[in-house]
């Protein structure tokens, strides 16, 4: 059976974890957390990057920092993972869902402005499959309406838009290091702060509402409860696991792109014959091969394709059930305008196995079977 996902592993992870254990430094903000933060800051050019326990938690921090309150509206796509909305719903905000573009499956930047009301506080673009949303347009809308932009860049580590790292373009960005993402620590994430104004508050929120971070830097002589907060810092053992992969990030990225490009090239024949659609990478977007998906003609054909692949030992999965059609989405949010593409496109998309350790033979076998399903050899 070819798995849909295998978590990345490069070889140094256990050595680094052992180092933490032997040094008896396993709680948060140890040496490996600092190394990961610095690596992220260098890579993104952001003022500050803080490792968190998940991307969901990074988004919760962003919602707190943006001072999202009861009744505020937050614009986002409906075609996304639940955390994009959850973090704001926890603060009593209303997710306002905007349709996606059929080419990238990203929020349609042309439909955002119609969703803006007097209650709108923030826009949350989700960079689906690590391919950037149209950020120039989104930043321009945000500026004209004084909105905060929080990027859900869970899938976008190592991707860029016009040379700028995803996550560091908006006011804040959120990364995921869940085991299904390109770089992993099991469960984990990071909050990316483009400029300095949020740093102090972010450190306080992440440390249970205390100024412990300043205390450790010797800036105060004792630490105390200064504001609201929670516990969003991961164990240094998890950071150690992640750091082994960040050190080899270019190598991992290259291998993933190789797999992605092979899928794209070899399935081109099916695309040219009008059998399937393949991902579109707009100009100016450098992606990280987070995901390779194909679109079948419709829901029925997709179901048959997934079943056929499974019978041939290949696990292919689909997602997401659009949030506005889920029970919680109906209760907490609303859709702005018409659902022209969100439901239709999500129903015909399926993802092929895509991970660092996928072999060339597996890559070619999957391609062969997809072609076979469509009567090509
Ligand atoms: C994976 C993912 C998340 C959640 O990440 P966690 O680290 O598991 O909290 C949020 N948004 C998107 C788009 C994701 O793909």
């Amino acid at each position: 059976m070819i798995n849909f996902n295998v978590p990345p592993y490069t070889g140094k992870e256990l050595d680094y974890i052992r180092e933490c254990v032997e040094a008896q430094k396993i709680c948060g903000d140890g040496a490996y957390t600092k190394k990961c933060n610095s690596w992220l800051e260098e890579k993104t050019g952001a003022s500050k990057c803080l490792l968190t326990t998940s991307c969901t938690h990074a988004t919760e921090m962003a919602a707190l920092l943006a001072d999202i309150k009861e009744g505020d509206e937050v614009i986002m796509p409906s075609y996304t993972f639940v955390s994009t909305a959850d973090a704001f719903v926890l603060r009593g905000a209303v997710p306002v869902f905007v349709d996606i573009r059929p080419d990238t499956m990203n929020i349609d930047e042309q439909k955002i402005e119609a969703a803006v009301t007097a209650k709108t506080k923030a826009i949350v673009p989700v960079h689906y499959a690590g391919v950037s949303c149209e950020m120039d347009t989104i930043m321009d809308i945000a500026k004209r309406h004084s909105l905060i932009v929080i990027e859900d860049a869970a899938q976008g580590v190592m991707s860029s838009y016009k040379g700028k790292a995803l996550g560091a373009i908006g006011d804040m960005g959120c990364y995921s290091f869940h085991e299904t993402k390109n770089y992993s620590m099991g469960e984990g994430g990071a909050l990316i702060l483009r400029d300095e104004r949020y740093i102090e508050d972010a450190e306080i929120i992440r440390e249970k509402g205390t100024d412990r971070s300043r205390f450790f830097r010797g800036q105060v002589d004792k630490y105390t409860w200064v504001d609201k907060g929670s516990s969003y810092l991961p164990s240094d053992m998890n950071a150690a696991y992640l750091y082994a992969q960040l050190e080899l990030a270019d190598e991992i990225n290259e291998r993933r792109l190789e797999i992605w490009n092979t899928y794209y090239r070899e399935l081109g024949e099916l695309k040219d014959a009008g059998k399937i659609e393949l991902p579109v990478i707009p100009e100016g977007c450098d992606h990280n091969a987070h995901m390779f998906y194909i679109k079948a003609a419709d829901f029925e054909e997709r179901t048959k394709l997934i079943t056929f692949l499974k019978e041939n030992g290949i696990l292919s999965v689909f997602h997401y059930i659009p949030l506005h059609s889920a029970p919680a989405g109906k209760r907490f949010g609303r859709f702005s305008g018409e659902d022209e593409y969100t439901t239709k496109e999500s129903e015909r998309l399926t993802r092929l196995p895509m991970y660092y350790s996928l072999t060339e033979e597996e890559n070619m076998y999957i391609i062969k079977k997809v072609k076979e399903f469509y009567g090509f050899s």
Side-chain angles (χ1 to χ4, degrees):
M1 198 58 123
I2 302 179
N3 281 317
F4 170 67
N5 179 60
V6 174
Y9 182 75
T10 62
K12 291 256 187 74
E13 285 86 345
L14 290 174
D15 293 339
Y16 291 173
I17 291 172
R18 175 179 296 279
E19 223 179 85
C20 293
V21 174
E22 287 177 352
Q24 297 177 332
K25 290 253 187 281
I26 58 174
C27 70
D29 277 346
Y32 278 104
T33 304
K34 292 198 174 99
K35 282 183 188 199
C36 291
N37 290 347
S38 303
W39 187 94
L40 289 166
E41 281 156 19
E42 184 157 322
K43 206 76 200 170
T44 62
S47 304
K48 192 80 194 169
C49 297
L50 293 167
L51 226 51
T52 59
T53 30
S54 67
C55 178
T56 307
H57 279 167
T59 315
E60 285 182 30
M61 285 182 68
L64 284 162
L65 287 165
D67 201 23
I68 300 294
K69 292 204 171 68
E70 187 88 31
D72 286 346
E73 294 181 353
V74 179
I75 293 171
M76 63 183 70
S78 170
Y79 184 70
T80 182
F81 187 60
V82 295
S83 302
T84 316
D86 256 333
F88 299 95
V89 167
L90 274 176
R91 307 257 68 80
V94 178
V96 175
F97 303 116
V98 166
D99 207 11
I100 51 166
R101 294 164 42 148
D103 60 347
T104 57
M105 305 297 281
N106 281 332
I107 190 166
D108 187 338
E109 69 281 357
Q110 303 300 335
K111 294 178 179 170
I112 291 177
E113 204 146 16
V116 176
T117 72
K119 291 182 180 168
T120 310
K121 220 32 196 304
I123 306 174
V124 186
V126 179
H127 304 299
Y128 183 69
V131 178
S132 183
C133 297
E134 195 41 59
M135 290 307 289
D136 280 350
T137 309
I138 292 171
M139 294 309 289
D140 177 61
I141 295 168
K143 197 170 168 196
R144 283 188 286 106
H145 296 274
S146 303
L147 306 174
I148 294 166
V149 175
I150 298 165
E151 298 175 70
D152 181 336
Q155 305 176 6
V157 182
M158 293 284 281
S159 290
S160 63
Y161 171 78
K162 299 186 180 175
K164 286 182 263 185
L166 300 194
I169 302 168
D171 299 86
M172 296 179 243
C174 308
Y175 282 169
S176 174
F177 299 115
H178 184 260
E179 75 162 31
T180 53
K181 301 304 200 285
N182 294 22
Y183 310 94
S184 175
M185 53 198 277
E187 300 279 354
L191 177 68
I192 314 301
L193 301 172
R194 188 192 58 204
D195 41 47
E196 292 175 354
R197 70 193 146 122
Y198 291 117
I199 297 178
E200 199 179 324
D201 287 345
E203 288 181 339
I204 289 168
I205 287 170
R206 185 166 165 272
E207 269 282 21
K208 301 100 183 162
T210 73
D211 55 359
R212 196 158 178 258
S213 300
R214 301 188 67 201
F215 170 71
F216 279 129
R217 284 196 296 265
Q219 292 164 317
V220 286
D221 57 10
K222 58 181 180 334
Y223 77 86
T224 178
W225 187 27
V226 292
D227 207 338
K228 59 183 179 295
S230 188
S231 184
Y232 291 125
L233 62 174
S235 157
D236 214 48
M237 292 189 288
N238 296 49
Y241 189 96
L242 177 65
Y243 192 67
Q245 291 162 40
L246 296 183
E247 278 186 320
L248 294 179
D250 287 322
E251 195 178 309
I252 294 176
N253 199 45
E254 262 167 51
R255 176 64 195 132
R256 293 188 72 109
L257 281 165
E258 234 170 58
I259 298 167
W260 197 100
N261 289 331
T262 302
Y263 275 137
Y264 192 86
R265 184 182 64 240
E266 301 293 326
L267 294 173
E269 209 183 331
L270 294 183
K271 174 182 168 250
D272 295 341
K275 296 284 182 196
I276 61 170
E277 279 171 42
L278 295 179
V280 172
I281 313 295
E283 196 148 325
C285 298
D286 276 320
H287 74 108
N288 59 0
H290 172 61
M291 192 189 295
F292 194 88
Y293 63 82
I294 62 178
K295 286 187 197 166
D298 53 26
F299 178 81
E300 281 74 34
E301 189 180 284
R302 179 184 73 177
T303 308
K304 284 184 196 145
L305 172 62
I306 291 174
T307 306
F308 176 82
L309 292 176
K310 198 168 181 186
E311 284 164 3
N312 284 281
I314 301 162
L315 290 178
S316 162
V317 304
F318 66 83
H319 68 179
Y320 304 102
I321 306 299
L323 298 186
H324 75 284
S325 51
K330 284 182 188 159
R331 184 153 18 121
F332 298 122
R334 66 177 167 81
F335 202 93
S336 162
E338 215 186 310
D339 170 11
E340 207 179 332
Y341 296 112
T342 300
T343 302
K344 190 173 118 209
E345 297 301 303
S346 69
E347 283 184 343
R348 59 197 198 97
L349 179 147
T350 192
R351 306 162 62 187
L352 300 179
M354 177 78 234
Y355 47 89
Y356 178 54
S357 56
L358 190 81
T359 66
E360 232 176 282
E361 295 73 47
E362 289 168 331
N363 200 184
M364 291 311 291
Y365 174 75
I366 297 161
I367 290 161
K368 182 170 160 247
K369 288 297 161 186
V370 173
K371 283 185 165 179
E372 201 177 301
F373 176 80
Y374 284 103
F376 281 61
S377 55

